[in-house]
mmCIF file of all heavy atoms in Angstrom:
data_model
loop_
_atom_site.group_PDB
_atom_site.id
_atom_site.type_symbol
_atom_site.label_atom_id
_atom_site.label_comp_id
_atom_site.label_asym_id
_atom_site.label_seq_id
_atom_site.Cartn_x
_atom_site.Cartn_y
_atom_site.Cartn_z
ATOM 1 N N PHE A 18 -7.407 -8.672 -6.054
ATOM 2 C CA PHE A 18 -7.105 -8.676 -4.619
ATOM 3 C C PHE A 18 -5.780 -9.387 -4.352
ATOM 4 O O PHE A 18 -4.966 -8.934 -3.545
ATOM 5 C CB PHE A 18 -8.256 -9.324 -3.855
ATOM 6 C CG PHE A 18 -8.242 -9.086 -2.374
ATOM 7 C CD1 PHE A 18 -7.452 -8.101 -1.788
ATOM 8 C CD2 PHE A 18 -9.051 -9.844 -1.555
ATOM 9 C CE1 PHE A 18 -7.463 -7.890 -0.415
ATOM 10 C CE2 PHE A 18 -9.067 -9.639 -0.179
ATOM 11 C CZ PHE A 18 -8.268 -8.660 0.390
ATOM 12 N N LEU A 21 -3.082 -6.997 -5.115
ATOM 13 C CA LEU A 21 -2.944 -5.994 -4.061
ATOM 14 C C LEU A 21 -2.178 -6.566 -2.864
ATOM 15 O O LEU A 21 -1.288 -5.907 -2.326
ATOM 16 C CB LEU A 21 -4.319 -5.493 -3.608
ATOM 17 C CG LEU A 21 -4.300 -4.509 -2.441
ATOM 18 C CD1 LEU A 21 -3.548 -3.232 -2.801
ATOM 19 C CD2 LEU A 21 -5.705 -4.206 -1.986
ATOM 20 N N THR A 25 1.415 -5.285 -1.510
ATOM 21 C CA THR A 25 1.545 -4.887 -0.104
ATOM 22 C C THR A 25 2.713 -5.622 0.539
ATOM 23 O O THR A 25 3.545 -5.015 1.225
ATOM 24 C CB THR A 25 0.232 -5.169 0.654
ATOM 25 O OG1 THR A 25 -0.837 -4.442 0.031
ATOM 26 C CG2 THR A 25 0.342 -4.787 2.114
ATOM 27 N N ILE A 29 6.212 -3.946 2.028
ATOM 28 C CA ILE A 29 6.612 -4.152 3.429
ATOM 29 C C ILE A 29 7.989 -4.802 3.501
ATOM 30 O O ILE A 29 8.841 -4.396 4.289
ATOM 31 C CB ILE A 29 5.538 -4.967 4.175
ATOM 32 C CG1 ILE A 29 4.340 -4.044 4.432
ATOM 33 C CG2 ILE A 29 6.080 -5.560 5.469
ATOM 34 C CD1 ILE A 29 3.096 -4.728 4.923
ATOM 35 N N VAL A 51 2.184 -10.429 9.694
ATOM 36 C CA VAL A 51 1.322 -9.596 10.542
ATOM 37 C C VAL A 51 1.244 -8.181 9.983
ATOM 38 O O VAL A 51 0.168 -7.578 9.950
ATOM 39 C CB VAL A 51 1.809 -9.605 12.012
ATOM 40 C CG1 VAL A 51 1.088 -8.553 12.840
ATOM 41 C CG2 VAL A 51 1.616 -10.988 12.618
ATOM 42 N N GLN A 52 2.365 -7.643 9.519
ATOM 43 C CA GLN A 52 2.351 -6.301 8.932
ATOM 44 C C GLN A 52 1.452 -6.236 7.705
ATOM 45 O O GLN A 52 0.715 -5.272 7.522
ATOM 46 C CB GLN A 52 3.765 -5.866 8.559
ATOM 47 C CG GLN A 52 4.598 -5.469 9.738
ATOM 48 C CD GLN A 52 5.919 -4.890 9.281
ATOM 49 O OE1 GLN A 52 6.710 -5.568 8.641
ATOM 50 N NE2 GLN A 52 6.135 -3.624 9.602
ATOM 51 N N VAL A 53 1.507 -7.251 6.855
ATOM 52 C CA VAL A 53 0.653 -7.295 5.655
ATOM 53 C C VAL A 53 -0.811 -7.307 6.075
ATOM 54 O O VAL A 53 -1.632 -6.536 5.561
ATOM 55 C CB VAL A 53 0.986 -8.517 4.768
ATOM 56 C CG1 VAL A 53 -0.076 -8.729 3.695
ATOM 57 C CG2 VAL A 53 2.359 -8.356 4.136
ATOM 58 N N VAL A 54 -1.145 -8.169 7.008
ATOM 59 C CA VAL A 54 -2.539 -8.288 7.453
ATOM 60 C C VAL A 54 -3.018 -6.979 8.081
ATOM 61 O O VAL A 54 -4.127 -6.511 7.788
ATOM 62 C CB VAL A 54 -2.707 -9.485 8.413
ATOM 63 C CG1 VAL A 54 -4.086 -9.475 9.066
ATOM 64 C CG2 VAL A 54 -2.492 -10.796 7.660
ATOM 65 N N LEU A 55 -2.194 -6.377 8.918
ATOM 66 C CA LEU A 55 -2.588 -5.109 9.540
ATOM 67 C C LEU A 55 -2.753 -3.999 8.505
ATOM 68 O O LEU A 55 -3.672 -3.180 8.608
ATOM 69 C CB LEU A 55 -1.578 -4.701 10.615
ATOM 70 C CG LEU A 55 -1.579 -5.573 11.867
ATOM 71 C CD1 LEU A 55 -0.471 -5.133 12.823
ATOM 72 C CD2 LEU A 55 -2.932 -5.572 12.557
ATOM 73 N N ASP A 56 -1.897 -3.983 7.497
ATOM 74 C CA ASP A 56 -2.037 -2.997 6.426
ATOM 75 C C ASP A 56 -3.365 -3.194 5.697
ATOM 76 O O ASP A 56 -4.072 -2.228 5.413
ATOM 77 C CB ASP A 56 -0.867 -3.103 5.445
ATOM 78 C CG ASP A 56 -0.954 -2.041 4.366
ATOM 79 O OD1 ASP A 56 -0.459 -0.922 4.611
ATOM 80 O OD2 ASP A 56 -1.531 -2.315 3.290
ATOM 81 N N LEU A 57 -3.700 -4.436 5.398
ATOM 82 C CA LEU A 57 -4.978 -4.722 4.732
ATOM 83 C C LEU A 57 -6.150 -4.307 5.617
ATOM 84 O O LEU A 57 -7.118 -3.708 5.134
ATOM 85 C CB LEU A 57 -5.083 -6.200 4.369
ATOM 86 C CG LEU A 57 -4.102 -6.711 3.325
ATOM 87 C CD1 LEU A 57 -4.195 -8.222 3.204
ATOM 88 C CD2 LEU A 57 -4.338 -6.041 1.980
ATOM 89 N N GLU A 58 -6.063 -4.635 6.900
ATOM 90 C CA GLU A 58 -7.138 -4.249 7.815
ATOM 91 C C GLU A 58 -7.332 -2.738 7.822
ATOM 92 O O GLU A 58 -8.463 -2.253 7.731
ATOM 93 C CB GLU A 58 -6.836 -4.735 9.238
ATOM 94 C CG GLU A 58 -7.037 -6.200 9.445
ATOM 95 C CD GLU A 58 -6.936 -6.617 10.902
ATOM 96 O OE1 GLU A 58 -6.452 -5.827 11.751
ATOM 97 O OE2 GLU A 58 -7.341 -7.736 11.197
ATOM 98 N N ASN A 59 -6.241 -2.008 7.922
ATOM 99 C CA ASN A 59 -6.332 -0.546 7.996
ATOM 100 C C ASN A 59 -6.809 0.089 6.701
ATOM 101 O O ASN A 59 -7.636 0.990 6.717
ATOM 102 C CB ASN A 59 -4.987 0.050 8.397
ATOM 103 C CG ASN A 59 -4.636 -0.244 9.835
ATOM 104 O OD1 ASN A 59 -5.510 -0.422 10.667
ATOM 105 N ND2 ASN A 59 -3.356 -0.309 10.123
ATOM 106 N N SER A 60 -6.285 -0.365 5.589
ATOM 107 C CA SER A 60 -6.608 0.293 4.325
ATOM 108 C C SER A 60 -7.936 -0.162 3.728
ATOM 109 O O SER A 60 -8.543 0.568 2.946
ATOM 110 C CB SER A 60 -5.485 0.091 3.311
ATOM 111 O OG SER A 60 -5.385 -1.273 2.953
ATOM 112 N N LEU A 61 -8.390 -1.363 4.091
ATOM 113 C CA LEU A 61 -9.626 -1.894 3.497
ATOM 114 C C LEU A 61 -10.778 -1.964 4.491
ATOM 115 O O LEU A 61 -11.880 -2.370 4.130
ATOM 116 C CB LEU A 61 -9.368 -3.288 2.917
ATOM 117 C CG LEU A 61 -8.268 -3.381 1.870
ATOM 118 C CD1 LEU A 61 -8.060 -4.825 1.459
ATOM 119 C CD2 LEU A 61 -8.586 -2.499 0.668
ATOM 120 N N ASP A 62 -10.520 -1.599 5.736
ATOM 121 C CA ASP A 62 -11.531 -1.624 6.779
ATOM 122 C C ASP A 62 -12.153 -3.018 6.929
ATOM 123 O O ASP A 62 -13.360 -3.185 6.897
ATOM 124 C CB ASP A 62 -12.616 -0.575 6.516
ATOM 125 C CG ASP A 62 -13.467 -0.319 7.752
ATOM 126 O OD1 ASP A 62 -12.953 -0.502 8.873
ATOM 127 O OD2 ASP A 62 -14.657 0.041 7.588
ATOM 128 N N VAL A 63 -11.266 -4.010 7.050
ATOM 129 C CA VAL A 63 -11.690 -5.393 7.292
ATOM 130 C C VAL A 63 -10.956 -5.896 8.524
ATOM 131 O O VAL A 63 -9.895 -5.398 8.869
ATOM 132 C CB VAL A 63 -11.394 -6.332 6.095
ATOM 133 C CG1 VAL A 63 -12.179 -5.932 4.877
ATOM 134 C CG2 VAL A 63 -9.913 -6.381 5.783
ATOM 135 N N LYS A 64 -11.520 -6.882 9.168
ATOM 136 C CA LYS A 64 -10.868 -7.513 10.315
ATOM 137 C C LYS A 64 -10.481 -8.925 9.910
ATOM 138 O O LYS A 64 -11.328 -9.734 9.552
ATOM 139 C CB LYS A 64 -11.792 -7.546 11.535
ATOM 140 C CG LYS A 64 -12.136 -6.163 12.042
ATOM 141 C CD LYS A 64 -10.901 -5.431 12.513
ATOM 142 C CE LYS A 64 -11.196 -4.007 12.896
ATOM 143 N NZ LYS A 64 -10.117 -3.108 12.572
ATOM 144 N N VAL A 65 -9.182 -9.194 9.939
ATOM 145 C CA VAL A 65 -8.679 -10.470 9.448
ATOM 146 C C VAL A 65 -7.850 -11.190 10.503
ATOM 147 O O VAL A 65 -7.962 -12.403 10.659
ATOM 148 C CB VAL A 65 -7.807 -10.260 8.184
ATOM 149 C CG1 VAL A 65 -7.260 -11.577 7.682
ATOM 150 C CG2 VAL A 65 -8.591 -9.544 7.110
ATOM 151 N N LEU A 66 -7.020 -10.457 11.210
ATOM 152 C CA LEU A 66 -6.033 -11.060 12.102
ATOM 153 C C LEU A 66 -6.654 -12.087 13.053
ATOM 154 O O LEU A 66 -6.133 -13.186 13.216
ATOM 155 C CB LEU A 66 -5.289 -9.976 12.874
ATOM 156 C CG LEU A 66 -3.986 -10.383 13.532
ATOM 157 C CD1 LEU A 66 -3.014 -10.984 12.530
ATOM 158 C CD2 LEU A 66 -3.349 -9.191 14.224
ATOM 159 N N GLU A 67 -7.790 -11.724 13.649
ATOM 160 C CA GLU A 67 -8.432 -12.633 14.601
ATOM 161 C C GLU A 67 -8.904 -13.924 13.933
ATOM 162 O O GLU A 67 -9.094 -14.937 14.592
ATOM 163 C CB GLU A 67 -9.646 -11.972 15.268
ATOM 164 C CG GLU A 67 -9.352 -10.680 15.974
ATOM 165 C CD GLU A 67 -9.385 -9.466 15.057
ATOM 166 O OE1 GLU A 67 -10.099 -9.458 14.029
ATOM 167 O OE2 GLU A 67 -8.668 -8.507 15.351
ATOM 168 N N VAL A 84 -10.137 -13.636 2.952
ATOM 169 C CA VAL A 84 -10.663 -12.317 3.302
ATOM 170 C C VAL A 84 -12.001 -12.084 2.594
ATOM 171 O O VAL A 84 -12.951 -11.567 3.193
ATOM 172 C CB VAL A 84 -9.652 -11.203 2.982
ATOM 173 C CG1 VAL A 84 -10.257 -9.823 3.237
ATOM 174 C CG2 VAL A 84 -8.383 -11.380 3.807
ATOM 175 N N LEU A 97 -15.770 -4.391 0.279
ATOM 176 C CA LEU A 97 -14.402 -4.886 0.102
ATOM 177 C C LEU A 97 -13.957 -4.724 -1.341
ATOM 178 O O LEU A 97 -12.854 -4.245 -1.609
ATOM 179 C CB LEU A 97 -14.291 -6.350 0.528
ATOM 180 C CG LEU A 97 -12.909 -6.983 0.315
ATOM 181 C CD1 LEU A 97 -11.862 -6.314 1.216
ATOM 182 C CD2 LEU A 97 -12.972 -8.480 0.570
ATOM 183 N N ALA A 100 -13.204 -1.096 -2.005
ATOM 184 C CA ALA A 100 -11.973 -0.662 -1.325
ATOM 185 C C ALA A 100 -10.729 -1.198 -2.025
ATOM 186 O O ALA A 100 -9.743 -0.475 -2.191
ATOM 187 C CB ALA A 100 -12.001 -1.096 0.135
ATOM 188 N N VAL A 101 -10.761 -2.458 -2.441
ATOM 189 C CA VAL A 101 -9.604 -3.053 -3.134
ATOM 190 C C VAL A 101 -9.357 -2.317 -4.439
ATOM 191 O O VAL A 101 -8.221 -1.945 -4.749
ATOM 192 C CB VAL A 101 -9.816 -4.564 -3.377
ATOM 193 C CG1 VAL A 101 -8.802 -5.113 -4.370
ATOM 194 C CG2 VAL A 101 -9.744 -5.328 -2.061
ATOM 195 N N ARG A 104 -7.967 1.159 -3.888
ATOM 196 C CA ARG A 104 -6.557 1.116 -3.456
ATOM 197 C C ARG A 104 -5.652 0.785 -4.638
ATOM 198 O O ARG A 104 -4.591 1.377 -4.787
ATOM 199 C CB ARG A 104 -6.371 0.113 -2.325
ATOM 200 C CG ARG A 104 -4.927 0.027 -1.908
ATOM 201 C CD ARG A 104 -4.726 -0.166 -0.456
ATOM 202 N NE ARG A 104 -3.308 -0.304 -0.220
ATOM 203 C CZ ARG A 104 -2.751 -1.192 0.565
ATOM 204 N NH1 ARG A 104 -3.503 -1.997 1.279
ATOM 205 N NH2 ARG A 104 -1.458 -1.270 0.711
#
Side-chain angles (χ1 to χ4, degrees):
F18 195 15
L21 176 62
T25 301
I29 286 169
V51 169
Q52 285 187 298
V53 168
V54 170
L55 290 176
D56 183 86
L57 294 172
E58 285 189 346
N59 290 332
S60 66
L61 303 176
D62 195 28
V63 296
K64 296 297 174 215
V65 179
L66 197 56
E67 303 85 28
V84 175
L97 177 65
V101 166
R104 178 143 177 224

